Amino acid sequence: MHTTTIHVRWGELDPYNHVNHAVYSSYLEHARVAALEYADRGLDTLSDAGLQIVVVRSDVRFRAPATAGDELTITTKVAEVRGASMVWEQHIHRGDEAIVSAEITAAVLTGGRPSRIPDDLKAVLTVLG
Amino acid sequence: MHTTTIHVRWGELDPYNHVNHAVYSSYLEHARVAALEYADRGLDTLSDAGLQIVVVRSDVRFRAPATAGDELTITTKVAEVRGASMVWEQHIHRGDEAIVSAEITAAVLTGGRPSRIPDDLKAVLTVLG
Amino acid sequence: MHTTTIHVRWGELDPYNHVNHAVYSSYLEHARVAALEYADRGLDTLSDAGLQIVVVRSDVRFRAPATAGDELTITTKVAEVRGASMVWEQHIHRGDEAIVSAEITAAVLTGGRPSRIPDDLKAVLTVLG
Amino acid sequence: MHTTTIHVRWGELDPYNHVNHAVYSSYLEHARVAALEYADRGLDTLSDAGLQIVVVRSDVRFRAPATAGDELTITTKVAEVRGASMVWEQHIHRGDEAIVSAEITAAVLTGGRPSRIPDDLKAVLTVLG
């Protein structure tokens, strides 16, 4: 499991004075990329090896609103590694309070086409479990 | 059912040269708001009446990538109206090709608290079905 | 001169209920790219030829706020073509009302390095004047 | 002078694999808001007092590109306080390398209309010089 911190920016709020729900998808992506970088498999490194990781399904539950100045903690883990895809489980908290929970399914592409996950990437993803 | 058109902007692409997946949530929100405006229930009008519509769950499937210059069509309908929430069903196409499908659950707040959907709003949402 | 239309999205508003000032830079970029595409020199086409156009200075004046549902017109022209850079002049209006004026200076890169503007691109930019 | 740190997010990159130029306006806004919060004059606090700070001119120079994983430092100071507006001077660095410089002019609104800057806000802005 990997943990990242996000500082909410005022410009990410909408007229309800809360973080716009679409912004959380960016926060979650940032946290997944940070987890991969932590494991030395940043998206740049993967791209150099001809690999892309693309989201195929995003299931997000919004539990409480966040607002300007909030410091949010995102926990990220790989819940499942399949042959050609993986499922990420992520939670955003403000202190003890649950803000967002998400299950993100992503596929691996090689040369732009769906492909089996190479063994060394599979090993890294398993460590992030 | 309501239909909206979106022109992809170059700045919405990520290094994969495709629309970043988080951007689709903004497209989908734009289409729901346009549907409400079409029914004379824009978010401003609702706010003036003390009502807010907030997303509580977003389940999105990404089927094919879109890129710069694409013109996308979004169809939006209210699939279900419950006591205090509603389920939107949305599809994004480029011509005949399916790009994104989504099921968005939203709750109604009155004075910032979950509340039953007022009858006249319920009638409008039913018309958008 | 080239003209583009933008429909403001609700999620682009900030807590002041106006389009966040940073969003206009995205609108303006979209309009410049649309002008280049109109002249058959979309950024993809240029990239294929090893060329990139990068903003080196952005001077933007915000004259009046725009809000949700507004339809904005952006006029875009190339005010000056220099050896290795160009100056774009852009105006955003809502009907007759001036919303934003901008002067954007962009440089041309070949293989990631500043370079003279190739003659055929120079001819195209001159036509957009 | 106030200093803030920003971690670039992958989704903020464009197809050139660099932070899209429009994103820097969001970074700069975030840094100005953080400076105001540091001085106990966050935008929420100001809004409660009927005051808004709105950008009227943004003059930004882009000196070098930033990319994913970069940690950027933003220095923010109030260079000039006028009767009804102020000029912010901001610099973004990656280590010693200059990435962006900006001069942002902002006006104060009271009840949505341009107004003189109240004395206590003027004192705070002077401290941020």
Side-chain angles (χ1 to χ4, degrees), chain A residues 56-62, chain B residues 56-62:
Chain A
V56 294
R57 183 176 180 187
S58 156
D59 189 1
V60 185
R61 286 155 197 269
F62 305 91
Chain B
V56 294
R57 183 176 180 186
S58 157
D59 189 1
V60 184
R61 287 156 197 268
F62 306 91

Side-chain angles (χ1 to χ4, degrees), chain A residues 11 13-15 20, chain B residues 9 12 26-27 29-30, chain C residues 6-15 17-24 26-27 66-68 70 72:
Chain A
L13 309 184
D14 63 27
N20 186 264
Chain B
R9 302 175 195 156
E12 294 170 339
S26 299
Y27 290 175
E29 179 180 65
H30 176 64
Chain C
I6 286 268
H7 292 82
V8 171
R9 304 176 194 154
W10 187 80
E12 293 171 339
L13 309 184
D14 63 28
N17 211 33
H18 296 148
V19 173
N20 186 265
H21 83 288
V23 173
Y24 291 108
S26 299
Y27 290 175
T67 192
D70 281 352
L72 305 177

Side-chain angles (χ1 to χ4, degrees), chain D residues 93-114:
Chain D
H93 284 84
R94 178 181 47 214
D96 286 343
E97 191 184 7
I99 303 295
V100 163
S101 307
E103 202 179 89
I104 309 292
T105 310
V108 169
L109 307 186
T110 305
R113 305 203 151 271

Side-chain angles (χ1 to χ4, degrees), chain A residues 14-16 18 20-23 25-26 29 32 43-44 46-47 51-63 104, chain B residues 14-16 18 20-23 25-26 29 32 43-44 46-47 51-63 104:
Chain A
D14 63 27
Y16 288 171
H18 296 148
N20 186 264
H21 83 287
V23 173
S25 293
S26 299
E29 179 180 63
R32 292 193 304 278
L43 294 188
D44 265 12
L46 292 173
S47 280
L51 296 171
Q52 294 183 323
I53 298 184
V54 299
V55 176
V56 294
R57 183 176 180 187
S58 156
D59 189 1
V60 185
R61 286 155 197 269
F62 305 91
R63 303 189 184 283
I104 309 292
Chain B
D14 63 29
Y16 288 170
H18 296 148
N20 186 263
H21 83 287
V23 173
S25 292
S26 299
E29 179 180 65
R32 292 193 304 276
L43 293 188
D44 265 12
L46 292 174
S47 280
L51 296 171
Q52 293 183 324
I53 299 184
V54 298
V55 176
V56 294
R57 183 176 180 186
S58 157
D59 189 1
V60 184
R61 287 156 197 268
F62 306 91
R63 303 187 185 285
I104 309 292

